[in-house]
PDB file of all heavy atoms in Angstrom:
ATOM      1  N   ALA A   5     -39.008 -17.496   6.048  1.00 40.00           N
ATOM      2  CA  ALA A   5     -39.326 -16.158   6.536  1.00 40.00           C
ATOM      3  C   ALA A   5     -38.148 -15.169   6.459  1.00 40.00           C
ATOM      4  O   ALA A   5     -38.287 -14.001   6.026  1.00 40.00           O
ATOM      5  CB  ALA A   5     -39.890 -16.169   7.909  1.00 40.00           C
ATOM      6  N   GLN A  84     -41.134 -17.682  20.385  1.00 97.00           N
ATOM      7  CA  GLN A  84     -42.238 -18.627  20.698  1.00 97.00           C
ATOM      8  C   GLN A  84     -41.796 -20.009  20.281  1.00 97.00           C
ATOM      9  O   GLN A  84     -42.049 -21.033  20.959  1.00 97.00           O
ATOM     10  CB  GLN A  84     -43.526 -18.258  20.021  1.00 97.00           C
ATOM     11  CG  GLN A  84     -44.769 -18.867  20.458  1.00 97.00           C
ATOM     12  CD  GLN A  84     -45.018 -20.295  19.840  1.00 97.00           C
ATOM     13  OE1 GLN A  84     -44.382 -20.684  18.811  1.00 97.00           O
ATOM     14  NE2 GLN A  84     -45.947 -21.024  20.266  1.00 97.00           N
ATOM     15  N   GLU A 128     -35.036 -39.881  25.492  1.00 95.00           N
ATOM     16  CA  GLU A 128     -35.414 -40.131  24.080  1.00 95.00           C
ATOM     17  C   GLU A 128     -36.680 -41.088  24.057  1.00 95.00           C
ATOM     18  O   GLU A 128     -37.490 -41.074  23.166  1.00 95.00           O
ATOM     19  CB  GLU A 128     -34.349 -40.874  23.393  1.00 95.00           C
ATOM     20  CG  GLU A 128     -33.056 -39.996  23.273  1.00 95.00           C
ATOM     21  CD  GLU A 128     -31.802 -40.751  22.840  1.00 95.00           C
ATOM     22  OE1 GLU A 128     -31.904 -42.042  22.751  1.00 95.00           O
ATOM     23  OE2 GLU A 128     -30.780 -40.119  22.578  1.00 95.00           O
ATOM     24  N   LYS A 167     -40.754 -35.044  37.965  1.00 95.00           N
ATOM     25  CA  LYS A 167     -41.920 -34.032  38.331  1.00 95.00           C
ATOM     26  C   LYS A 167     -41.612 -32.768  37.404  1.00 95.00           C
ATOM     27  O   LYS A 167     -40.562 -32.591  36.962  1.00 95.00           O
ATOM     28  CB  LYS A 167     -41.900 -33.690  39.720  1.00 95.00           C
ATOM     29  CG  LYS A 167     -40.732 -32.924  40.277  1.00 95.00           C
ATOM     30  CD  LYS A 167     -40.946 -32.597  41.739  1.00 95.00           C
ATOM     31  CE  LYS A 167     -39.699 -31.907  42.354  1.00 95.00           C
ATOM     32  NZ  LYS A 167     -39.907 -31.508  43.819  1.00 95.00           N
ATOM     33  N   PRO A 169     -40.899 -28.988  36.297  1.00 95.00           N
ATOM     34  CA  PRO A 169     -39.949 -28.065  36.819  1.00 95.00           C
ATOM     35  C   PRO A 169     -40.626 -27.082  37.779  1.00 95.00           C
ATOM     36  O   PRO A 169     -41.638 -26.308  37.496  1.00 95.00           O
ATOM     37  CB  PRO A 169     -39.473 -27.151  35.590  1.00 95.00           C
ATOM     38  CG  PRO A 169     -39.925 -28.081  34.422  1.00 95.00           C
ATOM     39  CD  PRO A 169     -41.007 -28.871  34.854  1.00 95.00           C
ATOM     40  N   ASP A 234      -4.598 -28.943  46.478  1.00 63.00           N
ATOM     41  CA  ASP A 234      -5.845 -28.668  47.188  1.00 63.00           C
ATOM     42  C   ASP A 234      -7.040 -28.686  46.344  1.00 63.00           C
ATOM     43  O   ASP A 234      -7.021 -28.222  45.204  1.00 63.00           O
ATOM     44  CB  ASP A 234      -5.711 -27.347  47.995  1.00 63.00           C
ATOM     45  CG  ASP A 234      -6.872 -27.057  48.874  1.00 63.00           C
ATOM     46  OD1 ASP A 234      -6.948 -27.723  49.962  1.00 63.00           O
ATOM     47  OD2 ASP A 234      -7.831 -26.369  48.487  1.00 63.00           O
ATOM     48  N   GLN A 242     -10.464 -25.556  37.206  1.00 86.00           N
ATOM     49  CA  GLN A 242     -11.517 -26.124  36.415  1.00 86.00           C
ATOM     50  C   GLN A 242     -12.470 -25.076  35.952  1.00 86.00           C
ATOM     51  O   GLN A 242     -12.899 -25.098  34.839  1.00 86.00           O
ATOM     52  CB  GLN A 242     -12.200 -27.215  37.173  1.00 86.00           C
ATOM     53  CG  GLN A 242     -11.299 -28.406  37.406  1.00 86.00           C
ATOM     54  CD  GLN A 242     -12.062 -29.608  38.006  1.00 86.00           C
ATOM     55  OE1 GLN A 242     -13.227 -29.350  38.509  1.00 86.00           O
ATOM     56  NE2 GLN A 242     -11.512 -30.752  38.114  1.00 86.00           N
ATOM     57  N   VAL A 332     -18.814 -14.875  22.302  1.00 88.00           N
ATOM     58  CA  VAL A 332     -18.324 -15.233  21.014  1.00 88.00           C
ATOM     59  C   VAL A 332     -19.059 -14.466  20.004  1.00 88.00           C
ATOM     60  O   VAL A 332     -18.495 -13.975  18.937  1.00 88.00           O
ATOM     61  CB  VAL A 332     -18.383 -16.739  20.702  1.00 88.00           C
ATOM     62  CG1 VAL A 332     -18.124 -17.083  19.310  1.00 88.00           C
ATOM     63  CG2 VAL A 332     -17.314 -17.435  21.615  1.00 88.00           C
ATOM     64  N   GLY A 455      -5.645 -10.439  33.540  1.00 82.00           N
ATOM     65  CA  GLY A 455      -5.300 -10.451  32.077  1.00 82.00           C
ATOM     66  C   GLY A 455      -3.996 -11.134  31.884  1.00 82.00           C
ATOM     67  O   GLY A 455      -3.662 -11.721  30.809  1.00 82.00           O
ATOM     68  N   TRP A 473       3.211 -33.701  33.507  1.00 75.00           N
ATOM     69  CA  TRP A 473       4.014 -33.055  34.589  1.00 75.00           C
ATOM     70  C   TRP A 473       3.102 -32.283  35.488  1.00 75.00           C
ATOM     71  O   TRP A 473       2.521 -31.235  35.000  1.00 75.00           O
ATOM     72  CB  TRP A 473       5.114 -32.296  33.848  1.00 75.00           C
ATOM     73  CG  TRP A 473       6.078 -31.774  34.967  1.00 75.00           C
ATOM     74  CD1 TRP A 473       6.520 -32.340  36.109  1.00 75.00           C
ATOM     75  CD2 TRP A 473       6.887 -30.560  34.863  1.00 75.00           C
ATOM     76  NE1 TRP A 473       7.468 -31.562  36.763  1.00 75.00           N
ATOM     77  CE2 TRP A 473       7.703 -30.540  36.005  1.00 75.00           C
ATOM     78  CE3 TRP A 473       6.919 -29.572  33.953  1.00 75.00           C
ATOM     79  CZ2 TRP A 473       8.541 -29.444  36.228  1.00 75.00           C
ATOM     80  CZ3 TRP A 473       7.818 -28.463  34.164  1.00 75.00           C
ATOM     81  CH2 TRP A 473       8.521 -28.417  35.290  1.00 75.00           C
ATOM     82  N   ALA A 539     -30.257   9.396  45.632  1.00 93.00           N
ATOM     83  CA  ALA A 539     -30.467   9.385  47.136  1.00 93.00           C
ATOM     84  C   ALA A 539     -31.644   8.575  47.475  1.00 93.00           C
ATOM     85  O   ALA A 539     -31.623   7.762  48.556  1.00 93.00           O
ATOM     86  CB  ALA A 539     -30.631  10.875  47.631  1.00 93.00           C
ATOM     87  N   VAL A 577     -39.128 -13.959  63.045  1.00 98.00           N
ATOM     88  CA  VAL A 577     -39.062 -15.140  62.114  1.00 98.00           C
ATOM     89  C   VAL A 577     -39.351 -16.433  63.013  1.00 98.00           C
ATOM     90  O   VAL A 577     -38.746 -16.694  63.942  1.00 98.00           O
ATOM     91  CB  VAL A 577     -37.711 -15.322  61.480  1.00 98.00           C
ATOM     92  CG1 VAL A 577     -37.608 -16.660  60.698  1.00 98.00           C
ATOM     93  CG2 VAL A 577     -37.491 -14.101  60.484  1.00 98.00           C
ATOM     94  N   ARG A 585     -28.820 -32.700  52.386  1.00 79.00           N
ATOM     95  CA  ARG A 585     -27.473 -33.269  52.282  1.00 79.00           C
ATOM     96  C   ARG A 585     -26.604 -32.570  51.238  1.00 79.00           C
ATOM     97  O   ARG A 585     -25.410 -32.636  51.444  1.00 79.00           O
ATOM     98  CB  ARG A 585     -27.607 -34.759  51.955  1.00 79.00           C
ATOM     99  CG  ARG A 585     -28.186 -35.609  53.085  1.00 79.00           C
ATOM    100  CD  ARG A 585     -28.218 -37.056  52.646  1.00 79.00           C
ATOM    101  NE  ARG A 585     -29.137 -37.309  51.507  1.00 79.00           N
ATOM    102  CZ  ARG A 585     -29.307 -38.485  50.988  1.00 79.00           C
ATOM    103  NH1 ARG A 585     -28.729 -39.479  51.392  1.00 79.00           N
ATOM    104  NH2 ARG A 585     -30.154 -38.597  49.973  1.00 79.00           N
ATOM    105  N   SER A 586     -27.151 -31.992  50.359  1.00 77.00           N
ATOM    106  CA  SER A 586     -26.378 -31.321  49.328  1.00 77.00           C
ATOM    107  C   SER A 586     -25.628 -30.079  49.789  1.00 77.00           C
ATOM    108  O   SER A 586     -24.776 -29.477  49.156  1.00 77.00           O
ATOM    109  CB  SER A 586     -27.226 -30.998  48.052  1.00 77.00           C
ATOM    110  OG  SER A 586     -28.148 -30.067  48.457  1.00 77.00           O
ATOM    111  N   PRO A 685     -44.180 -25.266  81.137  1.00 83.00           N
ATOM    112  CA  PRO A 685     -43.130 -25.691  81.986  1.00 83.00           C
ATOM    113  C   PRO A 685     -43.349 -27.192  82.468  1.00 83.00           C
ATOM    114  O   PRO A 685     -44.464 -27.544  82.843  1.00 83.00           O
ATOM    115  CB  PRO A 685     -42.919 -24.799  83.079  1.00 83.00           C
ATOM    116  CG  PRO A 685     -43.716 -23.592  82.616  1.00 83.00           C
ATOM    117  CD  PRO A 685     -44.753 -24.063  81.749  1.00 83.00           C
ATOM    118  N   LEU A 713     -49.674 -19.996  65.111  1.00 98.00           N
ATOM    119  CA  LEU A 713     -48.533 -20.804  64.501  1.00 98.00           C
ATOM    120  C   LEU A 713     -48.239 -21.990  65.442  1.00 98.00           C
ATOM    121  O   LEU A 713     -48.039 -21.815  66.593  1.00 98.00           O
ATOM    122  CB  LEU A 713     -47.356 -19.943  64.391  1.00 98.00           C
ATOM    123  CG  LEU A 713     -47.313 -18.923  63.205  1.00 98.00           C
ATOM    124  CD1 LEU A 713     -48.341 -17.821  63.361  1.00 98.00           C
ATOM    125  CD2 LEU A 713     -45.888 -18.177  63.087  1.00 98.00           C
ATOM    126  N   THR A 718     -48.671 -32.593  67.626  1.00 95.00           N
ATOM    127  CA  THR A 718     -49.504 -33.654  67.303  1.00 95.00           C
ATOM    128  C   THR A 718     -50.912 -33.470  67.942  1.00 95.00           C
ATOM    129  O   THR A 718     -51.195 -32.534  68.673  1.00 95.00           O
ATOM    130  CB  THR A 718     -48.977 -35.007  67.635  1.00 95.00           C
ATOM    131  OG1 THR A 718     -48.802 -35.001  69.156  1.00 95.00           O
ATOM    132  CG2 THR A 718     -47.582 -35.156  67.047  1.00 95.00           C
ATOM    133  N   VAL A 726     -56.798 -27.431  73.815  1.00 96.00           N
ATOM    134  CA  VAL A 726     -58.293 -27.223  73.810  1.00 96.00           C
ATOM    135  C   VAL A 726     -58.783 -27.263  75.276  1.00 96.00           C
ATOM    136  O   VAL A 726     -59.610 -26.450  75.657  1.00 96.00           O
ATOM    137  CB  VAL A 726     -58.941 -28.267  72.892  1.00 96.00           C
ATOM    138  CG1 VAL A 726     -60.524 -28.208  73.065  1.00 96.00           C
ATOM    139  CG2 VAL A 726     -58.604 -28.065  71.475  1.00 96.00           C
ATOM    140  N   HIS A 742     -47.653 -29.524  61.380  1.00 96.00           N
ATOM    141  CA  HIS A 742     -46.954 -30.665  60.739  1.00 96.00           C
ATOM    142  C   HIS A 742     -47.324 -30.731  59.239  1.00 96.00           C
ATOM    143  O   HIS A 742     -47.402 -31.826  58.659  1.00 96.00           O
ATOM    144  CB  HIS A 742     -47.197 -31.900  61.455  1.00 96.00           C
ATOM    145  CG  HIS A 742     -46.171 -33.042  61.225  1.00 96.00           C
ATOM    146  ND1 HIS A 742     -46.358 -34.318  61.560  1.00 96.00           N
ATOM    147  CD2 HIS A 742     -44.997 -32.983  60.600  1.00 96.00           C
ATOM    148  CE1 HIS A 742     -45.270 -35.014  61.289  1.00 96.00           C
ATOM    149  NE2 HIS A 742     -44.426 -34.165  60.642  1.00 96.00           N
ATOM    150  N   ASP A 760     -60.749 -18.857  59.793  1.00 97.00           N
ATOM    151  CA  ASP A 760     -61.352 -18.510  58.418  1.00 97.00           C
ATOM    152  C   ASP A 760     -60.348 -19.070  57.285  1.00 97.00           C
ATOM    153  O   ASP A 760     -60.818 -19.358  56.202  1.00 97.00           O
ATOM    154  CB  ASP A 760     -61.407 -17.015  58.341  1.00 97.00           C
ATOM    155  CG  ASP A 760     -62.418 -16.409  59.355  1.00 97.00           C
ATOM    156  OD1 ASP A 760     -63.399 -17.104  59.674  1.00 97.00           O
ATOM    157  OD2 ASP A 760     -62.165 -15.370  59.893  1.00 97.00           O
ATOM    158  N   SER A 790     -58.517 -22.567  52.393  1.00 97.00           N
ATOM    159  CA  SER A 790     -57.243 -22.978  52.634  1.00 97.00           C
ATOM    160  C   SER A 790     -56.277 -22.495  51.501  1.00 97.00           C
ATOM    161  O   SER A 790     -56.692 -22.153  50.406  1.00 97.00           O
ATOM    162  CB  SER A 790     -57.033 -24.572  52.702  1.00 97.00           C
ATOM    163  OG  SER A 790     -57.577 -25.132  51.473  1.00 97.00           O
TER     164      SER A 790
END
Side-chain angles (χ1 to χ4, degrees):
Q84 195 274 351
E128 298 168 351
K167 63 180 181 180
D234 185 78
Q242 290 181 349
V332 169
W473 187 32
V577 169
R585 288 180 297 177
S586 64
L713 284 62
T718 61
V726 172
H742 205 188
D760 299 326
S790 61

